[in-house]
Amino acid sequence: MTTSLATLKNLATQLRIDSVRSTSEAGSGHPTTCLSAAEIMSTLFYAEMCYDPRNPQNPDNDRFVLSKGHAAPILYAAWAEAGLFPREELLKLRRIDSDLEGHPTPRLPFVDVATGSLGQGICAAIGTSLNARRIGSEYRTYVLLGDGEMAEGSVWEAADMGVYHKLDNLCAVIDVNALGQSQHTQFGHNMDEIAARWNAFEWHTIVVDGHDVQALLNAYAEARATKGKPTMVLARTIKGKGLAAIEGKDGWHGKALKKGEEADKAIAELEKQMVAGAGKPEIAGPRSKGRPEASADYGKMAVPPYKLGDQVATREAWGVALAAVGAADPRVVALDADVKNSTFSDKFEKVAPGRFFENFIAEQVMVGASIGLAARGAIPFPSTFACFLTRATDFIRMGAISFANVKFTGSHAGISIGEDGPSQMALEDLSMMRSVHGCAVLYPSDAVSTHRLVIEMAKHKGMAYMRTSRPKTPVIYGPDEAFPIGGSKVVRQGRNDKAAIVGAGVTLFEALKAYDLLKGEGIEVRVIDAYSLEPIDARTMIEAGRATGGVIITVEDHYPAGGIGDAVSQAVAPAGYTVRRLAVTEIPRSGQPDELLERYGISAHHIVEAVKQAVTQTPSRV
């Protein structure tokens, strides 16, 4: 049995009524963009999608992503109509005591990813579609975009990747209502112009009247029958549909109808559009059957394959560790942006090619797809050069709002990359990632710590970022050393330390050189490997301040703002200690790594001078 056309039309009207009522009660929201999408939502939710309305997180449910997140009221109304929660809850829209927020977030069990920053939902949908392949499920992914959203470059990155990966389990719908926030959209209702763009990207493209229920159902059936490529349904609609006073009128974006007479009149107008003879919707259950949830025993993994003194770049050690984790845990996937032979993620590709997803030079869709994959239970490791990862900052920010379990890695960080010059030298990445709520930020110095921390990242519940380096560095830790997130290592220590030097990555080795030079002059110092910057090991940092009379010096291959210096300063400030910071303080240039470390003030020589100056200026301890 299927849901009748009359029922679907009435359901669309009911979704309009609920959207008007909830936004008017809230006194804010975007009712007109909900009104244009009503038939799209009713046909998807009550005739096309296969899911268990009582269990939105069933792994075999068809997935829906609302890329135009400002239409959240109609999404909430659709789930209320499906019976997940009482319709009365819709009247709590945008209230602080309700999870029905102004734009959707995964606080709600039926929301996979947070949306509202446009151009991101379709990227996440790439990830949820890829995940169906990973787990062998027949579920399909549906994503609803706005037509103004097509101006976002990330939409076209997703368009490219959808075709490259032959995602015939992905069906996108664009609500072409021709009106943006401040004016008409770029193409208005020129459906041929819009279709030409999607055809150029080789999507199976269907143009329909977005208020014609049967036409929408026919389009979805055609999408299901299409093999080897995703489908784009271009639905021509009218913004504000159903309310004569505002249909197709500019200037109504983001405006709720006033509670009282204005809203009551609109609801009455909509109620008159209900047709007789309609019944209840018939929602089909998931196409696939459940399967045991995958897991991994990380305790059985082999120890890192390195011995003391080996010269190994942390970027290469990361690739080896990722391959080992991928072999141990079927939930782990890797995503690349055409730098796999430099980041060494190609080692994972050799071990698990079916879980390796190439995105080419398209960092936004790589991160967005990672968030979509994570939403469905995968553990994604997207990687690229750290400087290029910053291109996807907004996606990472939205990933935090999505509580995404994504593990980022940025390689080739800092001036230590050498001759490639400043455009390739990430000197802002630690600051960026430390500012992302809930993100663990890790910066290993040798191959063993890198290997152990990759395992910790995979086990960690939540977002994490690892910074890896290009130069080869010696292995200084034994294979059995532990590196918990939030820890640090005191690698040199004396009985009468005059200063504490805190470094990570390449600067740890400059600190060790400085230790030897200072020891030769009779000056004892403590050297700390701050491999975890967020959370920082505050206890060890405060103890170092206490032991040295407050002489703490940080040294980092990063700009001063937001990096190691700020992390340590934040940790020790409650104990009354201040931090002296060595960092890159100007835009660097090309050169040999050692030349650059010296020129920009973070070499062993500069550390020695900073220690001597600090010790001279600090009163003697009794």
Side-chain angles (χ1 to χ4, degrees):
M1 184 175 179
T2 58
T3 306
S4 71
L5 296 183
T7 299
L8 292 171
K9 290 174 182 178
N10 277 1
L11 288 167
T13 300
Q14 185 62 55
L15 296 180
R16 288 190 172 100
I17 292 170
D18 288 337
S19 298
V20 168
R21 184 173 281 132
S22 62
T23 52
S24 296
E25 180 70 23
S28 64
H30 301 76
T32 56
T33 196
C34 296
L35 298 176
S36 65
E39 282 81 12
I40 297 169
M41 294 293 285
S42 71
T43 51
L44 278 174
F45 271 80
Y46 312 122
E48 171 62 16
M49 289 169 54
C50 299
Y51 63 102
D52 180 353
R54 296 163 300 179
N55 179 16
Q57 286 300 315
N58 185 316
D60 292 304
N61 279 352
D62 283 349
R63 310 312 306 172
F64 176 79
V65 180
L66 183 65
S67 197
K68 51 177 257 177
H70 52 292
I74 200 167
L75 173 65
Y76 305 154
W79 278 98
E81 182 63 42
L84 185 63
F85 56 89
R87 178 172 278 113
E88 291 74 22
E89 290 293 311
L90 298 174
L91 297 180
K92 296 180 181 179
L93 176 71
R94 293 179 167 231
R95 278 177 29 178
I96 197 167
D97 59 348
S98 172
D99 289 337
L100 302 179
E101 300 185 80
H103 293 75
T105 74
R107 288 191 178 99
L108 295 162
F110 53 85
V111 174
D112 282 344
V113 296
T115 55
S117 183
L118 294 176
Q120 299 202 22
I122 188 171
C123 296
I126 296 291
T128 60
S129 300
L130 289 169
N131 184 72
R133 291 183 180 176
R134 179 185 73 87
I135 66 172
S137 176
E138 295 179 27
Y139 79 73
R140 294 176 59 76
T141 295
Y142 297 85
V143 55
L144 177 60
L145 299 86
D147 49 346
E149 194 171 357
M150 285 192 298
E152 292 282 5
S154 57
V155 169
W156 301 105
E157 290 186 11
D160 200 21
M161 287 302 97
V163 168
Y164 176 75
H165 290 294
K166 297 181 172 59
L167 296 179
D168 51 20
N169 60 352
L170 172 61
C171 178
V173 184
I174 297 182
D175 179 9
V176 185
N177 62 34
L179 289 170
Q181 176 169 327
S182 63
Q183 62 184 41
H184 282 72
T185 54
Q186 183 178 3
F187 303 111
H189 275 141
N190 190 337
M191 306 304 288
D192 290 342
E193 190 75 26
I194 299 170
R197 281 160 168 73
W198 289 95
N199 283 325
F201 275 83
E202 299 183 358
W203 282 52
H204 180 65
T205 305
I206 308 168
V207 177
V208 299
D209 178 346
H211 300 306
D212 184 330
V213 168
Q214 186 62 64
L216 287 165
L217 295 177
N218 293 343
Y220 304 147
E222 190 175 325
R224 273 183 275 112
T226 299
K227 302 302 178 186
K229 62 172 62 177
T231 294
M232 172 56 70
V233 178
L234 300 174
R236 187 188 191 281
T237 64
I238 299 174
K239 199 164 186 174
K241 176 69 173 176
L243 298 179
I246 62 176
E247 275 191 1
K249 300 289 177 60
D250 201 359
W252 276 92
H253 184 89
K255 290 184 179 180
L257 295 168
K258 292 179 183 177
K259 185 179 178 182
E261 183 178 352
E262 187 175 47
D264 291 344
K265 183 178 178 181
I267 291 169
E269 182 181 354
L270 290 168
E271 287 175 339
K272 290 178 182 177
Q273 297 168 26
M274 290 287 191
V275 298
K280 295 282 188 180
E282 297 287 337
I283 300 173
R287 297 179 180 88
S288 302
K289 296 181 179 180
R291 67 197 59 75
E293 185 175 349
S295 62
D297 186 353
Y298 286 98
K300 295 182 179 180
M301 291 184 63
V303 298
Y306 309 105
K307 62 181 184 297
L308 293 174
D310 285 351
Q311 293 283 333
V312 184
T314 55
R315 60 178 174 132
E316 184 171 3
W318 174 84
V320 171
L322 182 63
V325 166
D329 191 340
R331 297 170 298 178
V332 172
V333 300
L335 298 92
D336 175 55
D338 195 28
V339 288
K340 61 186 178 183
N341 58 340
S342 292
T343 62
F344 290 97
S345 64
D346 56 356
K347 293 182 181 296
F348 181 98
E349 184 180 22
K350 293 181 175 67
V351 169
R355 289 183 275 130
F356 181 88
F357 305 119
E358 182 58 64
N359 296 268
F360 301 96
I361 305 172
E363 292 84 6
Q364 293 181 103
V365 71
M366 178 183 73
V367 173
S370 298
I371 294 168
L373 280 156
R376 303 311 318 138
I379 303 175
F381 277 78
S383 61
T384 184
F385 290 11
C387 59
F388 304 141
L389 193 58
T390 61
R391 184 187 297 265
T393 303
D394 186 34
F395 281 74
I396 295 170
R397 176 186 73 88
M398 290 296 290
I401 297 172
S402 293
F403 311 105
N405 190 34
V406 180
K407 322 300 178 181
F408 300 99
T409 301
S411 72
H412 293 70
I415 61 175
S416 57
I417 71 168
E419 296 88 340
D420 279 344
S423 72
Q424 312 295 294
M425 297 171 174
L427 292 163
E428 312 85 358
D429 59 310
L430 295 176
S431 176
M432 178 185 85
M433 299 307 295
R434 285 189 63 241
S435 70
V436 175
H437 181 75
C439 183
V441 179
L442 310 171
Y443 189 7
S445 301
D446 81 338
V448 168
S449 58
T450 302
H451 196 99
R452 290 295 187 191
L453 285 170
V454 170
I455 296 172
E456 292 298 318
M457 287 174 79
K459 292 161 56 180
H460 177 70
K461 299 299 183 184
M463 193 178 287
Y465 172 68
M466 178 181 286
R467 188 190 221 216
T468 63
S469 304
R470 183 180 189 181
K472 292 181 182 295
T473 51
V475 173
I476 59 173
Y477 296 112
D480 295 323
E481 286 272 1
F483 292 84
I485 292 174
S488 65
K489 294 286 186 181
V490 178
V491 292
R492 295 289 188 274
Q493 186 173 1
R495 292 185 176 181
N496 189 28
D497 292 333
K498 297 294 192 297
I501 307 167
V502 183
V506 296
T507 62
L508 177 67
F509 297 97
E510 295 302 311
L512 290 173
K513 293 175 189 175
Y515 170 90
D516 291 336
L517 293 170
L518 290 164
K519 186 176 181 181
E521 298 184 32
I523 302 174
E524 291 186 326
V525 294
R526 183 171 301 190
V527 178
I528 301 172
D529 178 2
Y531 67 79
S532 177
L533 296 179
E534 189 65 39
I536 189 78
D537 183 359
R539 181 176 180 179
T540 296
M541 303 305 161
I542 291 171
E543 172 56 32
R546 187 178 297 117
T548 61
V551 181
I552 304 173
I553 298 168
T554 59
V555 54
E556 58 189 307
D557 193 359
H558 190 271
Y559 288 138
I564 298 174
D566 276 4
V568 175
S569 181
Q570 183 178 345
V572 302
Y577 301 126
T578 58
V579 174
R580 297 164 174 83
R581 309 176 192 192
L582 300 181
V584 180
T585 57
E586 60 184 287
I587 295 176
R589 58 184 297 135
S590 294
Q592 295 287 328
D594 288 346
E595 295 175 321
L596 294 169
L597 294 176
E598 177 64 25
R599 176 164 180 154
Y600 296 107
I602 57 173
S603 66
H605 161 253
H606 288 283
I607 298 171
V608 168
E609 293 302 312
V611 169
K612 289 180 176 178
Q613 184 179 24
V615 169
T616 301
Q617 293 175 348
T618 302
S620 299
R621 289 167 290 168
V622 178

